[in-house]
Amino acid sequence: MNWKMKEVVLTVILAVACGVLYLGWSTLWIPISALVGPVGAGFMFGIWIIASPIVAYIIRKPGAALIAEVAAAAVEMLTGSHFGLSALLIGVFQGLGAEIAFALFGYKRYNVFTLMLSGALAAVGSIAYNLIANGLGYYTTQMFFLTLGIHVISGMVLGGLLAKVIVEALARTGVLNPYEIMKSRRKQGKSHAVASRV
Amino acid sequence: MTSNGSWLASVNPACKLIAHLCVMFMLMAVSDPVITLCLWLLAVVTGIVLGGWRIGYLLKRLLPYTLFFVLIFWMLAAFGKGEHVIWQWAWFRVTEESLNNGLTIGLRMLGFVTYGLLFTSTTDLTALMMSLIHQLHLSPKWAYGMLAGFRFIPLFQSELQQMKSAHKIRGYKQKNSWKAFTRYALPLFTQGIRKSERIAVAMEARGFTGTRDRTYYLAPVMEGKDWVYAAGLLVVAGGIIWLLKFM
């Protein structure tokens, strides 16, 4: 892995920003889940995995999704999350899930589909952790699949799709110009230009 | 994250992290509320005896989680599976098994939080990163990158607060949380990206290449007491499980 220092720090800082957002989101989750129940509150899940698609989409390197999510989870833990050490572990599961989506396409394809797939697989990872640690297996079968479905949809929309929206908005501001996402776009643009001239 | 100067704070951070994670795995494997309660009490006692926790501090940090505990308990008690129905109303169905499971999972969550607190309240961030480099062979590039990044946690928090105030003073009212999220997240990310680039340039300009081949001002080693703490914690936790399960 030949990560540039620039990319390392970018990954960490975006993860830190996400971690701070996660913490706020976690605090918001308690009253909402008290109101509509844990299954209903599953629709909020997607935000907690957004670090993976955002960073992987910008950096486009193997391991980016996993590292970003674990770092964001570590930040959430260190700043005093009410999930404690389990915030760190669940980050590993979600990050692995998200990473698989990009690995499946050999880290070549970065479009809305792969981003949403990464959100869905991160949701599966999170459910796998919850099955082991948080007693999701004690729910009735119906309740379990309902929870899984809501998490996957939320992961696709609030994770993958929102990540796409955010990164596109960031790209418009020009701050992403030195990174892989804009580099590959410039390359594509250039080849188009050459083709049109020929 | 700063250490509080207790005995536990002098234990090697990487060793402590791994020991606590091991106890977490034990907690996950246990499905009995009494054993879970004992493992949680072990964390509380360790915190008071070795971690320098005052009762007041303990109450202040753990009381907010009791609400969470009740919530988790209720979720599992009312929506869990089970045969022996105690009480049923609308879609709520409370059974003996679900009550038991709810209690286990609620206490398990409390245990996770307490072991997490035991770690974060007694560990210095810089020492943790150095320990990760030396004991777990993390690349210095990542360790120092994280150290630089973690300095931004308070900055981001105050920036978020500042943005909220700025919006408020201009009469912006939060209509729905979806719009509010992008409104706050975007500037936070843009600022972060700009800063990350400057930091990376500054680090490289000062000769930081990220290789292992460098000197360290802090080089944690594994000492006897680190092994004693890790082994002691695991033996006591394992002993509790064995004693309550098979005796």
Side-chain angles (χ1 to χ4, degrees):
Chain A
M1 269 208 293
N2 48 344
W3 286 67
K4 282 183 208 132
M5 201 60 220
K6 200 167 67 175
E7 292 162 337
V8 170
V9 181
L10 178 82
T11 304
V12 171
I13 291 219
L14 283 183
V16 168
C18 287
V20 172
L21 285 175
Y22 288 0
L23 188 65
W25 202 246
S26 296
T27 342
L28 205 65
W29 181 79
I30 296 186
I32 290 187
S33 66
L35 214 64
V36 295
V39 181
F43 78 89
M44 294 178 69
F45 163 80
I47 295 291
W48 280 306
I49 53 149
I50 205 165
S52 289
I54 286 184
V55 172
Y57 192 38
I58 297 176
I59 307 267
R60 309 197 167 186
K61 277 203 159 66
L66 176 62
I67 294 167
E69 185 59 34
V70 174
V75 171
E76 198 191 339
M77 180 192 88
L78 297 180
T79 43
S81 160
H82 52 77
F83 295 113
L85 270 177
S86 63
L88 186 66
L89 269 187
I90 201 168
V92 175
F93 276 77
Q94 291 167 346
L96 276 176
E99 186 71 38
I100 289 171
F102 299 108
L104 274 179
F105 295 99
Y107 302 102
K108 292 275 190 300
R109 270 182 66 181
Y110 288 90
N111 51 22
V112 189
F113 175 74
T114 39
L115 289 184
M116 285 176 85
L117 183 68
S118 86
L121 289 180
V124 174
S126 151
I127 291 288
Y129 172 81
N130 278 316
L131 210 53
I132 304 168
N134 295 343
L136 219 60
Y138 297 141
Y139 281 130
T140 50
T141 324
Q142 210 180 337
M143 221 47 167
F144 172 73
F145 281 106
L146 188 66
T147 315
L148 179 65
I150 292 178
H151 274 66
V152 167
I153 291 169
S154 172
M156 282 162 76
V157 176
L158 283 184
L161 201 60
L162 185 61
K164 168 90 179 166
V165 172
I166 287 180
V167 174
E168 289 308 327
L170 287 177
R172 277 199 294 279
T173 65
V175 288
L176 294 180
N177 285 346
Y179 298 98
E180 192 53 42
I181 173 175
M182 296 316 273
K183 266 187 203 160
S184 62
R185 267 181 211 187
R186 280 198 294 271
K187 230 180 264 166
Q188 268 175 8
K190 228 176 227 168
S191 63
H192 282 311
V194 171
S196 63
R197 240 179 281 148
V198 170
Chain B
M1 192 168 81
T2 48
S3 77
N4 59 1
S6 59
W7 182 85
L8 198 55
S10 68
V11 173
N12 186 296
C15 170
K16 195 162 47 180
L17 182 64
I18 289 175
H20 287 191
L21 282 174
C22 285
V23 179
M24 269 185 67
F25 290 128
M26 287 185 186
L27 272 169
M28 282 183 204
V30 170
S31 56
D32 179 89
V34 180
I35 301 179
T36 315
L37 177 71
C38 290
L39 286 180
W40 172 66
L41 283 176
L42 174 67
V44 174
V45 170
T46 313
I48 292 170
V49 176
L50 302 175
W53 286 355
R54 301 260 172 280
I55 300 294
Y57 172 82
L58 194 64
L59 286 179
K60 200 176 81 192
R61 294 305 299 261
L62 287 184
L63 265 185
Y65 300 121
T66 41
L67 172 74
F68 191 55
F69 168 74
V70 171
L71 196 74
I72 299 268
F73 170 62
W74 169 244
M75 272 160 29
L76 271 156
F79 301 103
K81 34 181 174 194
E83 296 298 318
H84 305 88
V85 180
I86 299 173
W87 181 72
Q88 196 161 10
W89 180 76
W91 55 81
F92 302 115
R93 186 165 165 274
V94 180
T95 61
E96 266 173 47
E97 290 91 336
S98 68
L99 274 182
N100 209 14
N101 290 336
L103 214 54
T104 309
I105 300 299
L107 283 168
R108 190 187 286 175
M109 291 283 229
L110 210 57
F112 287 172
V113 168
T114 315
Y115 279 101
L117 190 62
L118 198 58
F119 178 72
T120 49
S121 71
T122 59
T123 309
D124 182 65
L125 186 61
T126 315
L128 171 66
M129 285 303 158
M130 291 300 147
S131 172
L132 287 181
I133 292 178
H134 289 281
Q135 267 80 50
L136 298 182
H137 300 282
L138 181 74
S139 135
K141 198 186 246 183
W142 282 100
Y144 280 90
M146 281 199 210
L147 268 183
F150 283 175
R151 292 272 171 262
F152 281 83
I153 297 175
L155 199 73
F156 278 141
Q157 279 168 336
S158 68
E159 235 167 45
L160 198 64
Q161 201 48 51
Q162 205 176 3
M163 266 189 279
K164 275 185 187 161
S165 316
H167 278 116
K168 207 172 172 185
I169 216 165
R170 284 165 179 78
Y172 169 72
K173 283 208 179 62
Q174 210 167 306
K175 283 191 200 75
N176 59 48
S177 53
W178 168 266
K179 269 199 187 130
F181 180 80
T182 43
R183 195 172 267 266
Y184 294 127
L186 269 187
L188 206 63
F189 284 137
T190 340
Q191 294 283 357
I193 293 169
R194 289 217 178 92
K195 276 179 193 124
S196 79
E197 219 180 328
R198 267 179 243 146
I199 291 173
V201 169
M203 282 167 97
E204 275 172 348
R206 282 159 181 74
F208 182 81
T209 53
T211 53
R212 281 203 155 268
D213 196 21
R214 55 174 289 123
T215 52
Y216 297 94
Y217 72 97
L218 204 70
V221 285
M222 284 292 283
E223 284 172 42
K225 68 174 177 191
D226 304 326
W227 293 109
V228 169
Y229 173 71
L233 187 70
L234 293 181
V235 165
V236 172
I240 288 174
I241 295 174
W242 184 76
L243 217 69
L244 288 176
K245 203 157 196 174
F246 301 110
M247 286 288 159

